[in-house]
Amino acid sequence: MVGIMLSVVLVWSSWLSYQENPTTLILTKSVDRMCVVPAITLCPKTPYKEDVVKELLLKTTVKETSNLPSETPDNMLYSPKKYKGLGLYKASWEAFLQFVNVCKLLAKTNNIYVSNTRDFTNEIQASLDKLGLANIDSSDQINVSSLRTLLRDKEFDSWCTLPQKGKGVILYKEYTPGNKWLSKPNGLTSSEWKGATKMTANVCPVRALPGRSQNGTHCRHCQSEKETLAHILGACPHGELLWNSRHHKIRSLLASALRGKKLPSRGGGPWFDHKWMYKAH
């Protein structure tokens, strides 16, 4: 009993003395080791927003399972799949989108009691304002799917404006069929898909990205210019054999595919009959 009382007094006095650091302290008088001290935190009535927590959990889970760095732009996660985004649902959107959907369904019932007690037009417009779509008239024939598409396009535009991780992202709009591999990785291994996704988000561990290296931003092999993804894939002499081999392989695949096609002639022969394409060196 005496030991219990002594422990209570010791913990209480330590807690009063070290209120600035209520989780861990060193007790030098009795034992020279780290000791965890209990602390009480007073939470507000609404300690968190449920949609924010769900959104954070979803983002964290996707990045962990996909082996993506934590600094992967969130805009990429919510951008359209046709623009190399992952097309995830955003919890902060869905609350207002589903409210708009409910209001539209209730308005179609033509119930006099509901229509006299609710102003669906203003309620829908208020939700659109919260979503950042104030320029859309609530009286128009809108649906949740089209609104979600607009929000995804806005996320893509925000992704394009990022100073580092948004470089070149606008080019994903030029040929959208080439972006299908991200959602349908046919023929790609798991490691290849993860590596390509990192390249898409510009979060590969290259020295040119801020915070990636303490030894400067120049290439670790040739030291001729900054170590960017473009430099590694197409300019660094250290990987010249690899990217030449990649080029020849793609050229051979294109030549093999074109040989079997009946294409219009040019100058007496097939238009693809060039030594760099038709013949394999």
Side-chain angles (χ1 to χ4, degrees), residues 52-70:
V52 176
V53 174
K54 289 181 179 179
E55 187 176 322
L56 179 60
L57 290 175
L58 181 61
K59 290 189 298 184
T60 305
T61 303
V62 170
K63 290 180 181 180
E64 288 291 336
T65 53
S66 303
N67 197 24
L68 295 175
S70 58

Side-chain angles (χ1 to χ4, degrees), residues 173-192:
K173 273 188 172 183
E174 291 190 355
Y175 184 69
T176 54
N179 303 332
K180 292 181 179 179
W181 63 266
L182 194 65
S183 56
K184 299 179 180 179
N186 298 327
L188 293 178
T189 64
S190 178
S191 59
E192 289 173 344

Side-chain angles (χ1 to χ4, degrees), residues 1 57-58 113 117 120 122 132 163 201 215 272:
M1 187 64 181
L57 290 175
L58 181 61
Y113 300 104
T117 56
F120 294 119
N122 289 335
N215 300 320
F272 59 88

Side-chain angles (χ1 to χ4, degrees), residues 4-19 22 25 27 35-40:
I4 294 175
M5 294 299 296
L6 182 61
S7 300
V8 171
V9 172
L10 178 61
V11 170
W12 180 254
S13 60
S14 300
W15 182 80
L16 293 177
S17 302
Y18 297 91
Q19 293 186 39
L25 69 153
L27 300 177
C35 176
V36 178
V37 178
I40 299 176

